[in-house]
Amino acid sequence: MEIAIISGKGGTGKSSISAALATLSEKVVLADCDVDAANQYLLFNPSHEEEQAFIGGQKAVINPETCTNCGICIPYCRFDAISFSRQGVVISETACDGCHLCMRICPHQAISMVNSDKSRLYAGSFRNGRMVYGRLAPGEENSGKLVNLVRDKAKEQARKHQLDTIIIDGPPGIGCPVISSITGAHQLIIVTEPSLSAMLDLQRAAEMSANFHIQTHVIINKYDLDEDLSRQIESLCKEAGIGMIGKIPFDPQVVEAMTHSKSITEWAPDSATSKEVSKIWLTLKSMKP
Amino acid sequence: MLPTNFKIAIASGKGGTGKTLVATNLFHSLSKAGIPATLADCDAEAPNAKLFFKSKEESTSVVTQKVPVIDESKCTYCGKCHDWCNYHAIFFLPQPQVIKVMEELCHGCGACLAACHFEAITEKEVELGVVTTYTLPNSNILAEARMHTGVYSPVPLIKAGIKAAGDHRMVIMDAPPGTSCPFIQTVARADYVVLVTEPTPFGLSDLKQSVETLREMKKPIGVIINRAGMGNRNVYEYLKQENIPLLMEIPFERSIAAVYARGGLIAESDKQWEQLFLGLLDKIKIQWK
Ligand code: SF4
Ligand code: SF4
Ligand code: SF4
Ligand code: SF4
């Protein structure tokens, strides 16, 4: 079973909750799909048994030796990446989308494409099973593809090590990497908190996930910071037909656990937070995917 | 003095560290001080800044992207457009003859159009999202970029949002989380970047990645520590070691969290914060020289 955990936006405690679920009892595969800000490895210090380079994309570069500065390529680029400068025609690395068009139309074959290969995929073991995570190099695109790779690797690990459960810590937002994180997963948890911003993000995340026919649940984290807003979130979920699977109180021990490289369930197994997380886990396990 | 069209991006390696809190309060404080400014909400996947202001909608513009339309009566099924499409957005079979544009994969690069020698391709516009500008009672402006769900990248929205913010007044940009493409596209247009972090291991790890990226881009930076008092001192040590100015600390207090959760501004409810946020400009000024 693949359980994906997202939040519409970061900072709601999604990673801490994923970490807690991953360290309850049963051994699992933990897939950190927040490839833009992978964090789980900080808590779990996994072994790096496998490392794979990921080609995030390509960027066009001009060879100044062969470029005649004719400027033909400039209007073709839809991403305004090519311009005249004092050094002649240049391509902005940050603006280039890697479409190859300029390379194809340059009459002097002065443009070539270079791979961005700084992104990595790692797999290894951690203290409660296997862990797979991706790290997208700064400025790279195609995080969705890297997420797919992480998930494929996680499934392979699950088969190899006979682990039944994959926990996917998803990225923030509602874009391509999030969609890649939840497509085909069996259960989806959206973590929210009682604030107006988080409520809007929850709505957008729920709207997005509605297209995926996936069993969706909501956790309100730090619900007691504003019980009134929490109640509003609950009725919002009811209206949208999304089940509430748990309410976690605000707990300074969560950060304390983090600073000791532990999940809350490892650090304070008897705390109210850990108990609620266990309850959530049992509910999840009892559901037929 | 800072130039009147100075652009400050408020960013964080991950979401939820309080960058919207900083962006909205800074903007509010500038407005109170009579400084003409625009707040550009570039977090197009989860734009929430508008929540914090009473404002009047001024104008909306739809942001579109071109996608190809293939006229099958003119198409010779040569397959060149398929070969030139680097995003695998054209499905093509020579036998039996099938050709289909998969719009959700298309980046609108125009390569297929340039490839086709049989005038079988034209283009249409598809909607990616909207940029809306709002005016506040003090005539300052909020420009919000909002991506539709299911769109592959927020980047075109971000560009349009920053463009709508204009180049005549000070611009505060609420940047998207992470360090990938959307973040780069936002900070690339900034004169100064304020990084908001929290004093936890996750916060520090994300901060380091942002700092490395911004140093490569040669952007002047400063850091605000939000939720100061929780976690540990490692972020402070890192800042000292790397010689990065600590611009401000926002303590971890339930009252601050509560004001924010309800869509309020601490700089409005507490004048002291207004002064502190205004003071940011002086600190930035010193670095700017
Ligand atoms: S088309 Fe080729 S030769 Fe002409 S400016 Fe562009 S890169 Fe240089
Ligand atoms: S590869 Fe595409 S996006 Fe990059 S510079 Fe060439 S035409 Fe522009
Ligand atoms: S515009 Fe570019 S991405 Fe879209 S179908 Fe044509 S070649 Fe592919
Ligand atoms: S390049 Fe033109 S003619 Fe050839 S397959 Fe594409 S649309 Fe048809």
Side-chain angles (χ1 to χ4, degrees):
Chain A
M1 181 167 73
E2 282 182 289
I3 304 168
I5 299 147
I6 63 167
S7 68
K9 193 177 210 164
T12 55
K14 161 188 72 67
S15 297
S16 301
I17 292 174
S18 308
L21 289 172
T23 46
L24 273 172
S25 56
E26 182 191 324
K27 295 230 182 300
V28 297
V29 180
L30 174 59
D32 193 346
C33 289
D34 191 355
V35 294
D36 205 11
N39 273 334
Q40 298 289 2
Y41 75 98
L42 292 170
L43 294 187
F44 297 126
N45 192 23
S47 63
H48 281 177
E49 286 159 38
E50 287 180 50
E51 178 176 340
Q52 229 170 286
F54 167 73
I55 309 294
Q58 293 178 314
K59 299 281 176 192
V61 284
I62 294 182
N63 179 353
E65 311 261 292
T66 39
C67 173
T68 62
N69 292 316
C70 69
I72 288 175
C73 53
I74 296 174
Y76 275 97
C77 179
R78 293 266 173 98
F79 304 92
D80 302 323
I82 318 179
S83 57
F84 276 113
S85 77
R86 251 173 286 156
Q87 298 89 26
V89 173
V90 289
I91 296 180
S92 148
E93 194 189 321
T94 46
C96 173
D97 198 66
C99 73
H100 288 54
L101 180 54
C102 54
M103 176 205 80
R104 299 189 208 272
I105 54 94
C106 169
H108 305 281
Q109 281 86 46
I111 300 181
S112 54
M113 304 299 298
V114 291
N115 285 341
S116 326
D117 57 0
K118 291 195 205 89
S119 301
R120 289 286 178 279
L121 171 90
Y122 301 97
S125 57
F126 80 111
R127 53 184 179 269
N128 204 40
R130 305 289 295 175
M131 188 169 159
V132 182
Y133 69 103
R135 293 197 83 179
L136 198 68
E140 301 265 297
E141 260 195 279
N142 271 332
S143 46
K145 270 196 200 155
L146 181 53
V147 167
N148 286 335
L149 225 69
V150 171
R151 285 189 59 194
D152 287 345
K153 192 56 149 191
K155 279 185 221 162
E156 178 200 296
Q157 295 286 317
R159 271 195 305 275
K160 235 201 234 158
H161 298 268
Q162 279 145 24
L163 298 168
D164 290 330
T165 308
I166 300 176
I167 293 178
I168 299 168
D169 183 7
I174 52 161
C176 168
V178 182
I179 291 170
S180 299
S181 299
I182 69 171
T183 310
H186 305 100
Q187 306 276 358
L188 174 67
I189 299 178
I190 308 177
V191 180
T192 188
E193 59 180 17
S195 77
L196 292 176
S197 314
M199 267 167 90
L200 287 184
D201 298 332
L202 168 65
Q203 270 168 334
R204 281 164 73 79
E207 198 182 299
M208 183 242 359
S209 71
N211 305 323
F212 287 87
H213 308 289
I214 174 173
Q215 213 165 37
T216 305
H217 320 276
V218 167
I219 293 178
I220 306 180
N221 194 19
K222 311 171 204 163
Y223 80 91
D224 52 344
L225 285 184
D226 194 327
E227 304 213 21
D228 202 32
L229 279 178
S230 289
R231 272 189 292 275
Q232 286 185 39
I233 294 175
E234 281 182 72
S235 51
L236 207 125
C237 290
K238 204 176 260 168
E239 269 167 47
I242 301 171
M244 284 282 314
I245 196 168
K247 289 199 292 185
I248 298 175
F250 171 72
D251 185 351
Q253 289 179 102
V254 174
V255 171
E256 218 174 88
M258 193 201 287
T259 57
H260 290 88
S261 302
K262 293 269 185 318
S263 75
I264 182 69
T265 39
E266 291 173 312
W267 180 251
D270 297 322
S271 62
T273 308
S274 297
K275 285 191 181 133
E276 184 68 11
V277 171
S278 309
K279 209 185 84 201
I280 292 168
W281 181 250
L282 290 177
T283 317
L284 276 177
K285 290 307 250 187
S286 68
M287 284 186 190
K288 287 263 167 318
Chain B
M1 276 294 281
L2 292 170
T4 46
N5 62 352
F6 199 71
K7 292 187 175 60
I8 304 172
I10 317 292
S12 69
K14 64 173 186 144
T17 55
K19 83 188 154 47
T20 302
L21 174 108
V22 171
T24 50
N25 280 290
L26 173 58
F27 178 59
H28 169 84
S29 307
L30 293 177
S31 302
K32 278 279 153 173
I35 300 171
T38 301
L39 175 61
D41 191 348
C42 301
D43 193 357
E45 288 185 60
N48 288 337
K50 189 189 165 290
L51 265 182
F52 299 87
F53 301 97
K54 276 197 201 72
S55 61
K56 195 171 110 259
E57 191 175 315
E58 196 63 33
S59 66
T60 49
S61 59
V62 173
V63 178
T64 60
Q65 174 207 304
K66 289 194 166 78
V67 297
V69 181
I70 298 176
D71 180 346
E72 290 183 34
S73 68
K74 288 187 183 157
C75 175
T76 63
Y77 295 89
C78 70
K80 191 173 176 193
C81 55
H82 162 81
D83 294 340
W84 278 34
C85 177
N86 197 40
Y87 306 97
H88 310 291
I90 297 181
F91 180 80
F92 171 72
L93 280 180
Q95 210 47 262
Q97 293 182 331
V98 185
I99 193 154
K100 197 177 163 346
V101 178
M102 289 172 286
E103 291 184 6
E104 65 286 356
L105 296 178
C106 174
H107 285 212
C109 70
C112 51
L113 183 71
C116 184
H117 289 315
F118 302 95
E119 286 170 8
I121 299 184
T122 50
E123 291 183 308
K124 65 170 184 186
E125 303 279 343
V126 295
E127 233 183 81
L128 301 175
V130 285
V131 170
T132 314
T133 56
Y134 302 88
T135 42
L136 275 58
N138 52 39
S139 78
N140 267 347
I141 299 168
L142 170 66
E144 177 199 81
R146 180 177 290 268
M147 178 180 101
H148 290 327
T149 52
V151 171
Y152 79 94
S153 165
V155 169
L157 269 309
I158 293 172
K159 287 186 188 167
I162 296 175
K163 212 171 190 182
D167 203 22
H168 305 297
R169 16 168 71 221
M170 192 168 281
V171 180
I172 308 298
M173 303 188 256
D174 189 352
T179 48
S180 66
C181 212
F183 165 82
I184 301 279
Q185 293 297 339
T186 309
V187 295
R189 290 161 174 77
D191 298 304
Y192 186 95
V193 183
V194 174
L195 288 167
V196 185
T197 189
E198 50 182 38
T200 64
F202 284 3
L204 178 58
S205 148
D206 297 331
L207 175 68
K208 281 183 184 165
Q209 195 171 339
S210 312
V211 168
E212 277 166 36
T213 310
L214 290 165
R215 284 203 166 145
E216 237 169 78
M217 297 175 77
K218 303 200 168 55
K219 294 283 173 190
I221 54 172
V223 167
I224 292 180
I225 297 183
N226 188 23
R227 307 198 184 102
M230 64 176 209
N232 56 27
R233 301 290 301 174
N234 295 357
V235 170
Y236 296 86
E237 277 153 35
Y238 169 74
L239 294 182
K240 205 177 277 166
Q241 202 182 307
E242 294 290 324
N243 217 350
I244 299 166
L246 174 59
L247 300 172
M248 184 192 255
E249 284 178 273
I250 304 172
F252 180 69
E253 269 168 27
R254 261 176 191 249
S255 58
I256 292 178
V259 170
Y260 180 79
R262 291 284 169 138
L265 296 162
I266 51 172
E268 189 162 38
S269 50
D270 182 346
K271 286 271 176 278
Q272 226 178 327
W273 279 113
E274 188 186 310
Q275 288 312 312
L276 285 170
F277 277 103
L278 264 184
L280 278 179
L281 286 190
D282 296 318
K283 294 186 183 159
I284 291 171
K285 226 179 284 174
I286 298 170
Q287 252 176 295
W288 180 245
K289 281 179 199 158

